[in-house]
Amino acid sequence: MSKTIGIDLGTTNSVVAFKDASVRVVATGPNSEDLCRSCVAMDKSGSFVVGNAPYEQWKRYAPNIVVSAKRLMGASITDPQVQKMKNDKDMYPYGISKKSGGTEDSVAIIMNGQEFSPEQISAQILRQLKEDASVKLGDEVTHAVITVPAYFNEKQKAATRKAAELAGLKVQRLLAEPTAAAISYGADKMSADEDKIFLVYDFGGGTFDLSVLVASGGSFIESGTGGDRWLGGDDIDRLVSEYVLTEAGKTNNIDVHELIETLSEKKKFAFQGELKKEVERAKKALSQPHTDSITIQLFGFLETEDGDDIDIEVTLTRETFESMIRPLVQRTIDLIDELLEKTAYPIDSIDNILLVGGSSCIPLVRNMLSEKYGKDKILSSEKPMLAIAEGAAILSHSMGTEFECPHCGKSIPVGSDECPYCHKSMESSAVQSQEEPGKTGVVFTTKHKYFIETRDDADNVQYSMIIDENQVLPNEVNGKFYTLVDNQKIIAVNLYSDAENGGKEKIGTGFFTIAENLPVHSELQFTFRLTEDETMSVKVRVASTGKIHNINYSQGSLDSHCFEAIQNSFDRVMGDPNISDSQKNGFIDKLQKVIEGIQVGSLSSESKEWQNIETSVQSATTAATTKEEGTDVNVIIAKILLDHFGKFMSSEHKDAMRRELTKYEDATTPMQKNECASNLEELNDKYGLFVSGFLLNISGHDESNPVRANKALVAYNQFMAALNEGNVSRARDILDANQNLIGSDTVISGGFTTAISQS
């Protein structure tokens, strides 16, 4: 019989646990350790190596060694903290960049010159945990409850589910880490008439997570979350490392930082690896109550210009250690006060503060919390870094054999290939389960506020809240919004959640079309539904026609790139006063067909079909922006394709184009010419990328603007080089980055829009 497990997929360390008669952590790796370092390296053969072993051999694998991939899950390359990681090569030696073919909402990890998503890296960790558990438990592991930080938004949760899918695991439930911790502390064993309020304080390696939980008879209601996803043990390590290097510089009267920069790459990685191990050893030692000091030693790594060895031998006292990390601990306490104020729970109403995570083992953390809130409120297990996995295992054990369809939320039997309710395929879905009555129960609530982007009649952007935080899940709400202009044909649905510092983070974009000519401010009736995993689905009913649209919105991969191209093309064409109404109408017709095709399809976010759809959009844009002359524009485009890009096209399409061009030249009636042009248009649509690239070549020979022409010509040569290498994604990126060089600059008038209004 297959087994189910609980997994704490951590930023620094990951843990797997199992429950039958009792709860136990499943040891992993060749040395059978409770903690599996969340570290993935790639060896010279291109194989992945996971866990503690590659971390211990940092110098062997760097820079092809990844830590803290969890911080990049569902993240954007433009996030300031992601940029901070990208620039901190001491902590994160691997490459971090925008995903090829993706948007600014995506992130890629570079190892050995290859591009991987954070989900692919996390999948390697999950796969290792799954395989180790299967061996130790003597049976195949197929399902798991996987924990995530309470603040994770929909994109981050979707990324976690994708990682599990890649690892061959079906997700029973994504469980908030604080809730898992409370379960592990025995809160699920409370009597039926017992009620308690817990504050879970989770100070881990890469994140700090807070949650207020109301426990009643073994069930939990998540009543508020807080914390800082960029605060954790890594920050303590960074402070200690900086202290060691600074003190070593004072002792030797040199700038150690400059000396490190002069090392060869191999020696630098060897030094950094050893420094990491020494700092971690010191931190663990000073977390023991009777250790007052520890000496950090690194010999044989550094030398002067004259070849003299520079040995690092720095003593770190408990007093100094606590002094340097006190501001970080104080920050966690400030965040507690913020959460209690936000949720309107006075500290007197909190029965216990449950300590979780490796950094909570530091005595200063417990002392400062005790001083602030009282020693009796603080509860800590012997090994708080294992608590989250244990709680996940307890919930996993209590789950039944019914699983929740991730598309419609209905319960379906295990092993179903297709949901009997929504008829979506389960083949590649991380299916989630339903709890049995009488077992450990969790009442899930929203962790974020959700917004839809609207505009007023002056085209000012607004964010209308559709779902508030701390709402019980699943949750369904209705809202009325309105078209913004007469005869609006295309509507963009841009969804956001709240982010740190009062900001907004986009979680997806979708489109739908309106065939009828509706007056301005026509009513659109939206239905937003959030599942227990905070997966959003959106339906729109056009009030005047009764037509219902299911919105497929982007998840940050090739789909986002395609939707961004749709919006950019719309803005470019509809905002250009030099484009005729007939060309604009033709463009809108084509764009509507593209969007309608997306709505009836069920493409994954990484399907290559998105690139074909984007090519159709580019072709429609090119046709609309090409000046109308005596010869049909599709004839001109076909000739360009054959003359300049024939070697990249299929023989079948080239032969068909030549036949239609010959027919066009021989045609004697407008009807015959129109038929040929229509056939050519269908063929041209398959190669819109090439035509858009060729427009760079045209701009490159514009003598009226030599500077711009030179830039365009360079971009065109890069574009062609990418095509010759067979790197279509690279060619697309070059085209995207140089759209401003194609044609004349235009100003969007605002008379045409895809936006909606709130009233």
Side-chain angles (χ1 to χ4, degrees):
M1 183 178 178
S2 62
K3 305 291 187 184
T4 67
I5 55 175
I7 295 177
D8 172 13
L9 180 61
T11 306
T12 304
N13 294 293
S14 294
V15 183
V16 58
F18 172 75
K19 182 182 185 303
D20 44 19
S22 61
V23 186
R24 62 184 187 274
V25 170
V26 180
T28 63
N31 297 323
S32 295
E33 297 168 283
D34 288 344
L35 300 178
C36 173
R37 178 71 64 165
S38 299
C39 175
V40 177
M42 179 176 283
D43 63 21
K44 292 181 180 179
S45 69
S47 299
F48 287 111
V49 188
V50 179
N52 300 325
Y55 188 82
E56 293 294 325
Q57 301 177 67
W58 185 276
K59 64 181 180 182
R60 174 182 175 185
Y61 293 104
N64 301 307
I65 184 168
V66 178
V67 292
S68 300
K70 182 176 176 178
R71 283 183 160 181
L72 300 175
M73 297 276 277
S76 165
I77 191 64
T78 58
D79 189 316
Q81 295 293 346
V82 172
Q83 288 296 313
K84 187 176 178 180
M85 286 181 66
K86 180 179 179 180
N87 297 326
D88 188 354
K89 291 300 182 182
D90 292 344
M91 294 287 289
Y92 316 106
Y94 52 94
I96 299 174
S97 69
K98 186 184 85 168
K99 183 176 181 179
S100 295
T103 65
E104 299 298 324
D105 293 332
S106 64
V107 171
I109 289 170
I110 311 298
M111 299 170 71
N112 258 356
Q114 300 177 59
E115 188 176 283
F116 301 93
S117 67
E119 297 94 310
Q120 288 174 307
I121 299 302
S122 293
Q124 295 298 325
I125 300 168
L126 290 173
R127 184 179 291 112
Q128 185 68 55
L129 297 176
K130 172 183 180 291
E131 292 173 354
D132 286 346
S134 295
V135 171
K136 296 293 173 62
L137 298 176
D139 207 342
E140 182 186 10
V141 169
T142 55
H143 296 67
V145 169
I146 300 177
T147 62
V148 293
Y151 59 76
F152 257 26
N153 62 23
E154 185 180 358
K155 280 179 63 180
Q156 292 165 314
K157 290 180 179 179
T160 305
R161 284 192 288 271
K162 179 65 176 178
E165 180 184 328
L166 293 172
L169 279 169
K170 281 188 166 56
V171 180
Q172 292 173 284
R173 183 73 71 208
L174 292 181
L175 179 65
E177 290 167 1
T179 306
I183 294 172
S184 75
Y185 272 86
D188 60 318
K189 296 183 176 64
M190 293 164 51
S191 61
D193 60 349
E194 189 177 5
D195 297 323
K196 281 191 174 183
I197 302 176
F198 298 104
L199 174 68
V200 180
Y201 176 100
D202 183 359
F203 198 1
T207 60
F208 175 63
D209 209 2
L210 286 170
S211 187
V212 174
L213 295 175
V214 178
S216 178
S219 293
F220 302 88
I221 300 176
E222 300 166 341
S223 297
T225 59
D228 185 341
R229 66 182 173 126
W230 299 101
L231 174 63
D234 289 350
D235 299 285
I236 295 174
D237 292 353
R238 191 178 287 105
L239 288 174
V240 175
S241 296
E242 182 61 30
Y243 174 80
V244 170
L245 298 181
T246 301
E247 290 300 305
K250 292 177 182 177
T251 301
N252 293 278
N253 197 30
I254 57 168
D255 187 328
V256 176
H257 297 85
E258 289 185 0
L259 198 59
I260 293 170
E261 290 304 312
T262 65
L263 295 175
S264 66
E265 187 175 81
K266 184 176 180 180
K267 288 184 177 180
K268 183 189 295 185
F269 289 139
F271 175 79
Q272 290 168 347
E274 193 63 26
L275 178 60
K276 283 177 180 291
K277 286 193 286 186
E278 281 292 291
V279 165
E280 188 163 323
R281 182 178 68 86
K283 184 173 67 173
K284 288 180 177 179
L286 293 173
S287 295
Q288 301 303 312
H290 303 299
T291 303
D292 293 325
S293 66
I294 185 76
T295 300
I296 297 170
Q297 300 174 325
L298 292 97
F299 301 142
F301 290 97
L302 304 177
E303 59 182 34
T304 66
E305 293 180 355
D306 299 328
D308 297 329
D309 288 339
I310 298 176
D311 294 330
I312 292 179
E313 192 168 6
V314 175
T315 297
L316 178 61
T317 65
R318 176 182 295 280
E319 182 181 1
T320 300
F321 176 66
E322 292 185 347
S323 175
M324 73 172 67
I325 70 168
R326 186 175 294 275
L328 296 182
V329 181
Q330 183 59 50
R331 166 72 175 149
T332 69
I333 291 175
D334 293 342
L335 289 168
I336 290 175
D337 292 342
E338 288 178 17
L339 177 60
L340 295 179
E341 181 178 356
K342 182 178 74 172
T343 56
Y345 280 102
I347 188 61
D348 291 343
S349 69
I350 303 297
D351 292 288
N352 292 111
I353 298 176
L354 310 182
L355 301 191
V356 185
S359 299
S360 69
C361 297
I362 297 172
L364 179 67
V365 172
R366 303 187 194 200
N367 293 340
M368 289 181 68
L369 288 170
S370 297
E371 290 171 7
K372 173 81 172 181
Y373 303 112
K375 187 175 181 180
D376 292 341
K377 277 194 188 294
I378 311 301
L379 288 182
S380 177
S381 66
E382 184 179 344
K383 293 183 178 180
M385 67 286 293
L386 307 180
I388 290 173
E390 290 173 345
I394 293 169
L395 182 60
S396 176
H397 177 72
S398 75
M399 311 278 276
T401 56
E402 291 287 309
F403 291 79
E404 184 183 273
C405 170
H407 305 291
C408 69
K410 300 286 187 181
S411 293
I412 62 176
V414 171
S416 298
D417 295 326
E418 180 183 278
C419 175
Y421 300 99
C422 69
H423 305 293
K424 293 288 182 72
S425 172
M426 295 294 107
E427 183 178 348
S428 62
S429 297
V431 196
Q432 288 129 26
S433 70
Q434 192 81 1
E435 294 123 54
E436 293 178 356
K439 300 290 185 177
T440 300
V442 180
V443 178
F444 293 89
T445 58
T446 53
K447 312 302 185 301
H448 297 270
K449 295 179 180 179
Y450 290 87
F451 304 85
I452 186 170
E453 182 182 284
T454 59
R455 294 179 185 247
D456 60 21
D457 289 336
D459 208 34
N460 298 309
V461 175
Q462 301 169 328
Y463 298 97
S464 303
M465 189 173 72
I466 49 179
I467 299 177
D468 203 351
E469 60 186 337
N470 300 325
Q471 301 300 302
V472 174
L473 295 172
N475 187 285
E476 184 172 294
V477 298
N478 299 310
K480 293 181 181 180
F481 299 91
Y482 302 88
T483 58
L484 203 55
V485 294
D486 283 324
N487 303 329
Q488 192 165 348
K489 296 300 182 184
I490 296 174
I491 304 289
V493 180
N494 293 310
L495 300 175
Y496 292 79
S497 65
D498 56 350
E500 290 96 337
N501 302 318
K504 304 287 188 300
E505 183 172 4
K506 182 181 281 191
I507 60 174
T509 294
F511 291 92
F512 70 96
T513 64
I514 300 175
E516 296 76 18
N517 293 330
L518 301 180
V520 63
H521 295 163
S522 291
E523 184 178 309
L524 305 172
Q525 300 167 348
F526 280 71
T527 300
F528 306 93
R529 187 178 191 277
L530 275 178
T531 67
E532 288 171 327
D533 283 327
E534 290 195 75
T535 300
M536 177 80 78
S537 61
V538 184
K539 288 184 179 180
V540 182
R541 180 180 182 272
V542 181
S544 61
T545 66
K547 289 185 179 179
I548 296 176
H549 303 267
N550 291 307
I551 308 302
N552 295 334
Y553 61 92
S554 57
Q555 295 293 323
S557 190
L558 295 177
D559 54 350
S560 292
H561 196 275
C562 182
F563 284 167
E564 188 175 273
I566 289 174
Q567 186 67 63
N568 291 340
S569 293
F570 180 92
D571 292 342
R572 179 184 176 194
V573 172
M574 303 308 291
D576 190 341
N578 298 314
I579 296 176
S580 69
D581 288 344
S582 63
Q583 284 178 297
K584 288 181 178 179
N585 290 335
F587 170 77
I588 287 294
D589 287 342
K590 293 176 184 177
L591 210 56
Q592 283 183 293
K593 290 176 183 177
V594 167
I595 293 170
E596 288 161 6
I598 292 172
Q599 292 303 317
V600 299
S602 55
L603 299 177
S604 70
S605 63
E606 297 179 351
S607 170
K608 297 298 182 183
E609 184 60 28
W610 289 109
Q611 294 183 333
N612 296 331
I613 295 171
E614 190 173 335
T615 295
S616 298
V617 174
Q618 290 170 334
S619 180
T621 306
T622 301
T625 53
T626 302
K627 291 183 179 179
E628 293 179 303
E629 296 177 355
T631 304
D632 190 283
V633 65
N634 290 296
V635 174
I636 298 171
I637 291 173
K639 289 179 178 179
I640 290 172
L641 288 171
L642 290 171
D643 290 345
H644 295 272
F645 301 95
K647 67 178 180 178
F648 305 117
M649 299 165 59
S650 74
S651 298
E652 178 185 356
H653 292 155
K654 287 190 291 185
D655 291 343
M657 279 186 179
R658 292 187 182 106
R659 286 195 300 270
E660 295 300 331
L661 286 172
T662 300
K663 288 181 184 179
Y664 184 89
E665 296 298 331
D666 295 340
T668 57
T669 67
M671 184 177 295
Q672 291 173 333
K673 286 183 178 291
N674 288 339
E675 182 181 356
C676 293
S678 178
N679 292 337
L680 285 170
E681 180 181 14
E682 186 175 340
L683 291 165
N684 293 342
D685 281 350
K686 302 179 186 300
Y687 299 102
L689 176 71
F690 297 160
V691 181
S692 296
F694 184 73
L695 294 178
L696 280 173
N697 189 28
I698 294 176
S699 296
H701 293 84
D702 180 7
E703 296 180 358
S704 66
N705 193 334
V707 174
R708 181 177 185 171
N710 183 61
K711 291 180 180 178
L713 204 56
V714 169
Y716 176 70
N717 291 334
Q718 292 173 339
F719 174 81
M720 292 301 296
L723 291 181
N724 284 316
E725 294 170 1
N727 193 339
V728 177
S729 292
R730 171 67 177 153
R732 289 181 186 278
D733 287 342
I734 293 168
L735 191 60
D736 288 345
N738 294 281
Q739 282 293 324
N740 63 312
L741 301 177
I742 297 176
S744 59
D745 294 322
T746 61
V747 178
I748 298 172
S749 66
F752 302 93
T753 184
T754 60
I756 56 175
S757 68
Q758 188 175 16
S759 60

